[in-house]
Amino acid sequence: MEFSTGFGWTRLPVLAAAFILSSVLTATAQIIPPTAAAPDDEATEVTEATETADVNDPDVLKGIDVDKLDWSQLAVDAGTGIDPMAAKKRAQAAARNGLDWSSNPNANGSSAVTVKQSVFSFWDTRIGADMTVTSEPRTMSELLAQKATNGGSLPQSSGSAWAAATAPGAGSLWDKTAVEARIDPGAEQSKIGASLTKSVPLSGDTSLTLQNGYSVNQQGTTAVPGIGGHVTRNYETDQTAKVTLTDTGTSITAGQTLSTTDDKWLRRFGAEQKLFDNVTVSGSVGETSQGAINKSVTAGFKKSW
């Protein structure tokens, strides 16, 4: 569809400007006393400027199909364009739709690289890989430094691929189901596990979270001349109860683990305290299969922007 008018497209903004200008002059004439009125020469100049545009002005949209113009480009919210929170949400949405890369340096000179991507948003299905990437030493001093930090040998690159999904629970029995599978070709290891989670509010600021986990770990050995390779499997069950105090930022955890390689439950106890924004301190005490007690205290800082 083509629109045409005898005045030309450029005539419209000029007429609009003339209309606005005449309205302003009319309002001014009603407010300003006659002694302050503009001289006749200025009124003549305004009239001449208004009459400058005529029907002979060139049509800037001549030959352009108006129906094919993308008018949606004008539908922009000026506030959203300068809102930092809106820009952050758009960046996070773009990261969820594509590959999300992260890298952290290790003490031995290697780098821990993680890549993940969301493949199905309904069940929050994700795939990814965790890799340890080493760099080749460029000088003899770098070679000696890497050997010194790795017990006399050079660090080796490795990696594992994984897939994870989070699904709804089963009514009142549990709230959330999480499934994860991981495979490490270099170490000939694989694991598949599932966990069921149930949260119960105890009071206004206290909640209890129960979690049961089940996993199967498979370890293979490489065949050598005269000795064939074989595969061993280990079945493991984990039970955890966690009490969270929202007002104080404190959480207390108690749990136990049983596997086919152990003949008894291995119990553990831990606590975590939030000191202030983004800083937490946690400690844990647990039994080991050798009978010794494993103790640890850690502090963490987490910041996102």
Side-chain angles (χ1 to χ4, degrees), residues 142-156:
E142 290 183 0
L143 176 63
L144 296 176
Q146 289 187 9
K147 287 187 174 182
T149 56
N150 290 276
S153 61
L154 290 175
Q156 300 295 322

Side-chain angles (χ1 to χ4, degrees), residues 204-206 244-250 273-274:
D205 59 345
T206 306
T244 303
L245 306 177
T246 307
D247 289 348
T248 61
T250 305
Q273 177 64 52
K274 182 178 179 180

Side-chain angles (χ1 to χ4, degrees), residues 44-66:
T44 303
E45 293 177 0
V46 172
T47 304
E48 292 177 354
T50 305
E51 295 177 353
T52 301
D54 54 25
V55 296
N56 295 324
D57 290 341
D59 191 352
V60 296
L61 294 180
K62 183 179 180 180
I64 298 177
D65 189 354
V66 181

